[in-house]
Amino acid sequence: MADELTPETPEEEQPKKTHKQRKNGLYPGVSDELAASMRSGWADTELHGLAPIAQAGQTAARRAALSARFPGERLVIPAGRLKTRSNDTEYPFRASTEYAYLTGDQTENGVLVLEPTTGGHTSTVYLLPRSDRENGEFWLSGQGELWVGRRHSLAEAEQLLGIPAKDVRKLPEELSEATGPVRNVRGHDSVIETALTDKVTKELDDELRVYLSEARAVKDEFEVGELQKAVDSTVRGFEDVVKVLDKAQATSERYIEGTFFLRARVEGNDVGYGTIAASGEHACTLHWVRNDGPVRSGDLLLLDAGVETHTLYTADVTRTLPVNGRFTEIQRKIYDAVYESQEAGIAAVRPGAKFRDFHDASQHVLAEKLVEWGLLEGPVERVLELGLQRRWTLHGTGHMLGMDVHDCAAARTEAYVDGTLEPGMCLTVEPGLYFQADDLTVPEEYRGIGVRIEDDILVTEDGNRNLSAALPRRSGEVESWMAGLQG
C-alpha cells in the first residue's frame, strides 16, 4: 500500500494551497517544476447526460413526506465520515441509512439539508466536489482522486440524484450562522454537530430519527425488488457454502465465511452484517462471528448470513445444515421442532395481525416441544407466562428488515413490537433452540446442539410471501438439496 505524499489531516480541513507532508515519507517535498507538471496535461472527464439513479422518484417522494412532517424547520441528515481503522487506514465507508434512504447517495461527508420555505422545503445535497487539480489536492491529499479514485462532480451528482448539489466544505459555516428551528440526525458527523451545537436539542433530534425509522417500515416497490435481489444472492451464497464444506472441514469456519463473502462482494455491496458461521457447539452462541472453530462431520453448521445490495438493502437468512449431509436422530428431532415452530410463525404473518403474533405462535410450539420432551413441567400456558422456555429459545422470533438488518430500530414501541402488520412490511421469522454444551439440565445427547431457521417474509395484501423460499427448510429436503449440490 503506497504511503508517500498523503497528508495527516482530512482534505476539507486543510489550507487551500498546502498539503501536510506525511511523517517519514520518502520525498521531502514537491518542486515547483513537478507541481506545474501535475497541474497540466489532463483531459476533461466531466460526464454529461447522466440518467437519474433508479430510485430517484422514490427518494423525492420520501423527502416530500419528510417535509410535510416537519414544516418550517431546517432538517439536516448527514451521511457520515470515514472512521479510522488503524493509524492512517480507514474502515470501508457505509453511508448512514437515513441519508441513503432520502438521497440514494452513498458518499462520505455528504449532507442532505432541507431548508424551510413558505411552500414546504427546498432540498440540497452537500458533497465533496472533485479534487482540485490546480492546488495539487488530487494527488497530494489522502482522499485525492489519484489515491482513492474519481468522485462525481457536483453537476454530475445533480443529474444522478435529482437534487441541487453544493460544496459540503462550506456547509459548517452556513449552519453555524443559520437561524430558526433545526433538527439533525445525530451520531454520524461530528463537524456538523459542532456547527449546530447551540441550535438543536436532543429531544427534537430524536423525533426526527424516530420519524425516519418508522417511515421505512412499509417498503415501496423499489425496496421490495432490492430485498428480493439481496435474498436471491444470499441463496446463491448458501449454495456456494454447501459445495465447499469439504474444504471447510480441512480448514475452519473461516472458509465458510470467506466463501459467502465472495458472493456478497461479487453480486452486491458487502455482507449486510457479520456472517455467523457457527459449527458444532458454536451454534449455541447467538452472534458467533469469530468463525475460527473447526467444522466436523457429524456436527451441525448454523449459517446466518445476508448479502447487501448496491443500494444497501440486506437479506437475513439462516439455515442449520448437517456438515456431512445427514441429520442424526437427535439433530433431526430438534431441527423438526424448530421447523414446526417457524411454520406456525410464518402462518401468523398477515395484514391486520399484531407484530407479536408470529413470535407468540412460534414460542407456543417450542414450549409444547420442551414440555413433551420432559425438559419443562407443563402446562404450556404456565411455561409461556413465566418465560421458562427462554432458557433454550433465548431470543425474539424476528425483526423488521430493510436497509438495516434490524431495520426501523428507533421506531416507537407502539408502532413496532406493539404495532400492527401492514402490506409492504418485511420481517424475519427465526425461531431457534440452543442447548449449551455445559447445560446439565438436559440429557447429554442434546448438549452442544443449536438450531435456527430464518426466512425473510413480506407482508402482502392477502397474507405473506417468503422471499427466501428458494432455500429448502424441511429436514429431508435440506438433505436432498445438499446431496444435489455436492454431486
Side-chain angles (χ1 to χ4, degrees):
M1 183 177 182
D3 74 340
E4 294 306 332
L5 289 170
T6 53
E8 296 177 346
T9 55
E11 67 182 61
E12 68 272 17
E13 296 172 12
Q14 294 166 15
K16 181 65 177 175
K17 294 185 178 180
T18 61
H19 301 276
K20 188 174 180 180
Q21 173 77 16
R22 181 194 297 274
K23 185 177 182 180
N24 293 319
L26 294 178
Y27 289 105
V30 177
S31 68
D32 290 343
E33 291 78 5
L34 176 57
S37 172
M38 294 299 289
R39 282 196 295 269
S40 62
W42 304 100
D44 181 5
T45 60
E46 183 73 11
L47 303 176
H48 304 280
L50 296 175
I53 57 174
Q55 68 271 43
Q58 284 85 355
T59 56
R62 296 166 193 166
R63 293 192 300 274
L66 175 62
S67 172
R69 172 61 179 82
F70 298 102
E73 301 184 61
R74 180 178 284 101
L75 308 174
V76 182
I77 302 94
R81 291 173 176 257
L82 291 170
K83 293 182 172 65
T84 299
R85 180 181 184 272
S86 177
N87 189 26
D88 58 353
T89 61
E90 292 88 17
Y91 288 104
F93 179 74
R94 203 277 196 184
S96 74
T97 293
E98 296 88 353
Y99 175 83
Y101 177 75
L102 293 167
T103 66
D105 180 54
Q106 297 180 35
T107 55
E108 65 267 20
N109 293 55
V111 183
L112 173 67
V113 178
L114 274 65
E115 294 281 350
T117 65
T118 54
H121 290 81
T122 58
S123 296
T124 304
V125 61
Y126 289 81
L127 304 167
L128 286 172
R130 290 200 61 193
S131 296
D132 192 331
R133 291 180 184 259
E134 185 62 28
N135 73 359
E137 177 188 290
F138 81 108
W139 73 290
L140 294 174
S141 166
Q143 295 302 314
E145 292 183 6
L146 291 194
W147 291 89
V148 298
R150 185 189 191 278
R151 55 180 174 253
H152 286 295
S153 70
L154 298 182
E156 292 168 354
E158 289 184 355
Q159 296 173 64
L160 291 166
L161 306 176
I163 313 171
K166 293 183 179 180
D167 189 338
V168 72
R169 293 174 292 191
K170 302 175 183 178
L171 181 60
E173 183 178 354
E174 292 180 17
L175 290 178
S176 65
E177 297 173 356
T179 58
V182 184
R183 295 178 190 254
N184 174 47
V185 178
R186 298 188 181 199
H188 301 304
D189 193 320
S190 60
V191 174
I192 296 301
E193 290 181 20
T194 297
L196 293 173
T197 187
D198 60 345
K199 304 177 188 301
V200 295
T201 66
K202 184 178 185 304
E203 180 181 6
L204 295 182
D205 287 355
D206 285 349
E207 286 180 3
L208 174 59
R209 191 182 192 96
V210 167
Y211 167 81
L212 290 172
S213 192
E214 294 180 6
R216 300 198 306 275
V218 175
K219 272 60 180 178
D220 57 37
E221 184 178 355
F222 175 84
E223 293 178 289
V224 172
E226 290 301 295
L227 284 167
Q228 188 66 68
K229 282 184 193 176
V231 169
D232 292 345
S233 289
T234 298
V235 169
R236 290 187 283 272
F238 274 70
E239 293 172 347
D240 296 339
V241 166
V242 171
K243 293 175 183 178
V244 300
L245 282 177
D246 58 334
K247 294 181 175 63
Q249 290 180 68
T251 52
S252 75
E253 296 162 338
R254 294 272 168 98
Y255 204 96
I256 294 166
E257 177 186 351
T259 298
F260 188 85
F261 180 69
L262 177 61
R263 178 67 63 172
R265 286 293 279 169
V266 168
E267 295 192 0
N269 177 58
D270 206 333
V271 289
Y273 53 95
T275 296
I276 298 168
S279 183
E281 66 182 58
H282 290 164
C284 299
T285 301
L286 296 184
H287 288 171
W288 177 261
V289 293
R290 299 180 201 171
N291 299 337
D292 58 358
V295 179
R296 301 188 179 97
S297 178
D299 283 347
L300 295 177
L301 166 69
L302 189 157
L303 178 59
D304 186 336
V307 172
E308 179 185 74
T309 66
H310 294 292
T311 56
L312 307 186
Y313 289 84
T314 185
D316 181 9
V317 178
T318 306
R319 289 294 184 270
T320 305
L321 312 171
V323 172
N324 62 12
R326 300 289 296 181
F327 291 99
T328 67
E329 182 178 351
I330 185 63
Q331 288 170 351
R332 190 183 305 272
K333 172 183 174 180
I334 296 170
Y335 183 96
D336 287 349
V338 175
Y339 169 78
E340 186 178 330
S341 168
Q342 193 201 28
E343 281 284 274
I346 292 173
V349 176
R350 57 184 178 273
K354 294 296 184 183
F355 182 87
R356 292 180 181 272
D357 287 353
F358 75 92
H359 169 72
D360 293 341
S362 289
Q363 291 292 298
H364 197 280
V365 171
L366 294 180
E368 288 177 335
K369 296 296 182 181
L370 293 167
V371 171
E372 176 187 325
W373 297 342
L375 303 183
L376 286 173
E377 180 181 347
V380 170
E381 287 68 23
R382 167 185 169 273
V383 170
L384 292 168
E385 181 181 357
L386 298 176
L388 301 180
Q389 83 284 358
R390 293 178 60 187
R391 180 182 177 100
W392 301 290
T393 66
L394 294 178
H395 55 80
T397 310
H399 52 80
M400 291 289 192
L401 182 68
M403 295 182 80
D404 288 332
V405 65
H406 295 140
D407 209 27
C408 312
R412 295 166 298 161
T413 300
E414 57 267 30
Y416 192 158
V417 296
D418 290 338
T420 301
L421 296 180
E422 301 177 38
M425 290 182 172
C426 189
L427 52 91
T428 66
V429 179
E430 51 175 312
L433 282 173
Y434 312 92
F435 298 101
Q436 306 299 326
D438 59 351
D439 189 346
L440 301 181
T441 70
V442 301
E444 187 174 356
E445 63 177 353
Y446 286 67
R447 298 173 196 166
I449 295 178
V451 174
R452 179 163 67 252
I453 312 172
E454 177 181 22
D455 285 270
D456 300 343
I457 310 299
L458 176 70
V459 183
T460 61
E461 294 290 344
D462 57 357
N464 70 67
R465 173 158 57 97
N466 185 349
L467 301 181
S468 45
L471 276 179
R473 293 183 293 127
R474 293 179 184 273
S475 55
E477 293 173 352
V478 168
E479 292 174 331
S480 297
W481 169 72
M482 293 182 68
L485 289 170
Q486 293 172 340

